[in-house]
DNA sequence: TAGATTGTTAATCGATTAACAATC
DNA sequence: TAGATTGTTAATCGATTAACAATC
């Protein structure tokens, strides 16, 4: 690996980072100052070994014989997750889900600032959700330029998801959070995170049936 | 493995099933009657080998020299996912997200029937979302018994998530779909699926930073 | 110092990919 | 029949777990 190549972290590790972040936040709230990988493993239901492996992908945050300083580790992961900056965000599709996300204050607390909502429905255009206006999708590109939007949240229907993504990418957006039940395609340099709610519900349905069968045969 | 032991399917495979289901539904819409693992692999961005391995966990749905019949495979996966029955569902926490989910018609189309919403806020109690009433959480347990509710959707805040889960489990619910940003604990025979929206947003944030670094060093 | 616990290497386990005989 | 493509076994790859020397 070359000197200025960034070490490739596996998706499995990345997906666990927000969870570490969440547990460390809880420990901070409880005024706990230090924790060992063994204790944390009990809390989180992971192996201590995995925790140490995961964290060592990013550096040695612990101290032999002591463990990890909760606050230090929390802020380190905060930084690793890119939460030391703020992001400008827009939501495309101001239906029920789009509006619900707009109303969620957790995101702005973490530095994801909602700058605008967009829709094609004239009945919605002009409405405000928590001081953020719903605008006509026709002016979306210009808004992205002038307001320097980083993240686009897709809350449209399945049919318009790819088209919306294409427009966002073309306008220079760097990350897409997709809630439409469709796998969209974006260029390699754009970050994409899918939240397929119905996939999740179908998984629940599968597991329920699996457990029902297990009960039947035991 | 004993005769009546159910073959254990790995979570990696289970999580791909809704995605197969989605792509097959699209093929059906396009009136495509047959597909080979090679074609499907191109569409989905998987290897043909993986597709065949995945499907063969549940039986031989294909035919040598022909491929898979789209409709047959779709309905087979539909069944595997437990979508051949319907489920009674309640939502606990009728805030923005709870209401948005209640308004989503995709779920009822798949057989997840919303029977009730529950909240502690007196201002919300009595309101109706698409003919479904928001009730006082005090009557939740009784409602679960009399209406034979299968699935509880947790849309409360973090602090009340575990307590809500405990009450749902005690009342006999078989599956929990959790949207609260907290890992809840349920007994082994209850199915649990978490949708941690902010974890997903944090993952997006991580990937955006990773890609920014990649741009810088190339 | 002695005990505790990390960081890291090596071993194991599981999931993905490759290969190909079976067969439609 | 010949060609195509599955089902399935074997090989590879990657992720998790175990072990332990380093060290606070």
């Amino acid at each position: 690996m070359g000197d200025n190549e960034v070490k490739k972290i596996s998706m499995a590790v990345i997906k666990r980072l927000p969870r570490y972040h969440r547990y460390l936040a809880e420990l901070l709230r409880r005024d706990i100052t230090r924790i060992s990988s063994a204790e944390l493993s009990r809390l989180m239901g992971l192996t201590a070994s995995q925790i140490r492996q995961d964290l060592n992908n990013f550096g040695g945050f612990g101290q032999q014989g002591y463990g990890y300083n909760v606050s230090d580790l929390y802020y380190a992961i905060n930084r690793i997750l890119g939460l030391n900056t703020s992001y400008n965000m827009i939501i495309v599709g101001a239906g029920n889900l789009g509006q619900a996300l707009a109303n969620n204050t957790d995101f702005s607390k973490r530095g994801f600032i909602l700058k605008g909502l967009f829709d094609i429905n004239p009945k919605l255009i002009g409405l405000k959700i928590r001081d953020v206006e719903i605008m006509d999708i026709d002016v979306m590109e210009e808004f992205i330029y002038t307001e320097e939007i980083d993240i686009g949240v897709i809350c449209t229907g399945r049919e318009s998801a790819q088209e919306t993504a294409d427009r966002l990418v073309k306008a220079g957006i760097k990350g897409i959070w997709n809630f439409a039940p469709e796998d969209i395609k974006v260029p390699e340099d754009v970050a994409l995170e899918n939240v397929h709610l119905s996939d999740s519900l179908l998984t629940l349905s599968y597991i329920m049936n699996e457990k029902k069968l297990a009960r039947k045969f035991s």
Side-chain angles (χ1 to χ4, degrees), chain A:
Chain A
M1 192 166 73
D3 271 356
N4 54 9
E5 252 179 82
V6 184
K7 188 166 151 214
K8 186 68 190 160
I9 310 291
S10 82
M11 198 42 83
V13 174
I14 296 168
K15 289 277 176 188
R16 278 193 294 270
L17 287 176
R19 197 151 171 264
Y20 288 123
H21 191 257
R22 208 148 30 80
Y23 276 84
L24 289 163
E26 176 64 21
L27 291 171
L28 265 186
R29 273 195 294 271
R30 288 202 258 143
D31 286 318
I32 292 167
T33 53
R34 57 176 273 201
I35 191 146
S36 66
S37 58
E39 286 174 273
L40 191 56
S41 79
R42 260 170 264 129
L43 281 175
M44 296 185 66
L46 303 172
T47 64
S49 199
Q50 181 167 58
I51 291 174
R52 295 202 300 279
Q53 287 274 28
D54 281 355
L55 298 178
N56 270 80
N57 279 298
F58 304 98
F61 301 113
Q63 194 171 74
Q64 281 97 330
Y66 174 87
Y68 299 85
N69 177 292
V70 172
S71 171
D72 289 356
L73 186 56
Y74 173 79
Y75 288 106
I77 294 180
N78 207 60
R79 221 199 120 78
I80 291 164
L81 286 170
L83 300 178
N84 51 329
T85 6
S86 80
Y87 300 88
N88 292 329
M89 193 162 85
I90 58 171
I91 295 176
V92 189
N96 293 299
L97 184 61
Q99 293 195 23
L101 293 174
N103 273 302
N104 191 317
T105 53
D106 287 359
F107 306 145
S108 62
K109 276 182 210 147
R110 294 255 170 68
F112 299 88
I113 315 296
L114 183 66
K115 292 283 183 170
L117 287 130
F118 294 90
D119 209 291
I120 42 162
N121 184 348
K123 283 180 190 156
L124 292 172
I125 294 164
L127 286 180
K128 280 191 171 189
I129 314 281
R130 289 182 179 264
D131 286 337
V132 180
E133 204 185 332
I134 304 179
M135 288 164 277
D136 192 304
I137 199 157
D138 285 349
V139 300
M140 183 175 79
E141 278 84 353
E142 209 197 313
F143 191 87
I144 293 174
Y145 302 137
T146 56
E147 298 288 320
E148 299 184 314
I149 303 300
D150 306 293
I151 297 175
V153 186
I154 300 181
C155 293
T156 67
R158 180 178 55 75
E159 324 73 34
S160 16
Q162 184 61 58
E163 193 208 323
T164 304
D166 293 343
R167 286 179 63 176
L168 289 168
V169 167
K170 215 173 165 192
I173 224 122
K174 286 300 164 227
I176 289 181
W177 201 18
N178 176 40
F179 285 80
E182 172 90 358
D183 293 335
I184 60 178
K185 288 190 183 71
V186 296
E188 232 223 311
D189 63 331
V190 175
L192 170 65
E193 175 73 11
N194 288 299
V195 180
H196 290 315
L197 293 183
S198 44
D199 283 21
S200 169
L201 184 55
L202 268 45
T203 304
L204 179 66
S205 166
Y206 177 91
I207 300 170
M208 285 174 70
N209 277 274
E210 191 184 44
K211 294 203 183 293
K212 194 157 79 183
L213 288 173
R215 276 195 295 276
K216 202 181 272 180
F217 292 113
S218 64

